[in-house]
Amino acid sequence: MTPKKPPLTHFLCLPITGGQAAPQWQASLRQFRDDVVATKTSNSPLDAKGSSIPVEGIRPLGTLHLTIGVMSLKEPERVERAVDLLKKLDLVDMLKKGKEEPKCVRTPRQASEEPTTATGEPGVSSLLAQPDQSASSPPLILSFTGLKSMHSSTSTSFLYTPPTDTTGRLYPFCLSLKDRFSAAGFMTEEDRALKLHATILNTIYAAKAYPSKTLVQGEDGRLRVAEVEKAGTENAVDGHLTGDEHQDERQGNEPSNQEGTMAEPLSTKSKIQPPEPKRERKGKRKKQVVRFDARDLINHYSAFEWARDVRIEKVAICEMGAKKTKDEKGKVVREEYTEIASIPLP
């Protein structure tokens, strides 16, 4: 019998919305929402009436980050030890040694997927990049351009934008961080290469918004509701048992144009496929994922610049489960992960 995996409670990440980056992300997310959300109609159950993509899947500003790894820190003492490790790291030295490959053990699959670009995508050139070796390491500055899918773009539920680092330090720096936390026994082992990304849309949140219904596409391209068995799983933490951005990450192979330009209005709509219930495990309820054909959308946003010159200001440990803040009328006005500890970057 396979041992039960411990629940995931925290994750190590690089926040990407600090300083001047927040207004850029806000404007880009607003344009993306406007492009994929059509004018409301009376016969659609969605807040985005007439849209081919559930608006609930678009991630809020406060949830954007680059995940380095996930952890199971159930006991307070393990949390304290992980925080202590973070605070003792010499980030300046780690950035300087960005060209040196971390010592963490890799599976054959991971070894074949080492990064080849400075974008955080799989291959080797970023490990060979020559970072600045001056006394004080320059700031880590990133840009985010294009839109990719974690799955086949013909049937996906997860879209993201990759980071670009012209100095080649980002990927090896993150591997080094992952190595330190893995060696200390905090990081959950994964049989796949690190894939740095900022989640733009994940339809698992749309499924949560309509837990007892399925969304299907009519001949007019608009979503309709049909009754199905209630979706979701029990005892989920931040969707890690239901497939949020820390769980539902799979390798994507869509090319992206790295030129930073504004997207033109959409001329076509992506095609929705009915939610597909995953195989039900004993003692668990079915979950469903809304998948859609994102080829037109990905092509449309291939050169779109989400944010440029984003300075990475810190490395942080956050709790799973984005917390929602509501106003006096019960409307969600903010959603973000709780940071329990961080250490500043130069």
Side-chain angles (χ1 to χ4, degrees), residues 17-28 30 61:
T17 60
Q20 298 300 313
Q24 295 186 67
W25 283 113
Q26 285 179 322
S28 295
R30 186 181 304 114
L61 175 68

Side-chain angles (χ1 to χ4, degrees), residues 116-127:
T116 52
T117 70
T119 66
E121 298 296 295
V124 293
S125 66
S126 65
L127 292 176

Side-chain angles (χ1 to χ4, degrees), residues 153-156 270-273 291-296:
S153 59
T154 60
S155 179
T156 188
S270 300
K271 300 169 185 174
I272 272 285
Q273 298 177 3
R291 297 185 182 277
F292 59 96
D293 185 335
R295 286 176 293 181
D296 289 343

Side-chain angles (χ1 to χ4, degrees), residues 283-300:
K284 299 288 185 180
R285 288 176 294 169
K286 291 182 180 180
K287 69 174 180 177
Q288 54 186 334
V289 177
V290 180
R291 297 185 182 277
F292 59 96
D293 185 335
R295 286 176 293 181
D296 289 343
L297 189 60
I298 289 172
N299 181 65
H300 179 72

Side-chain angles (χ1 to χ4, degrees), residues 192-213:
R192 54 191 170 88
L194 175 64
K195 192 177 188 71
L196 298 171
H197 64 278
T199 303
I200 299 299
L201 182 147
N202 187 343
T203 67
I204 191 65
Y205 298 101
K208 289 179 181 179
Y210 302 95
S212 63
K213 301 178 185 298

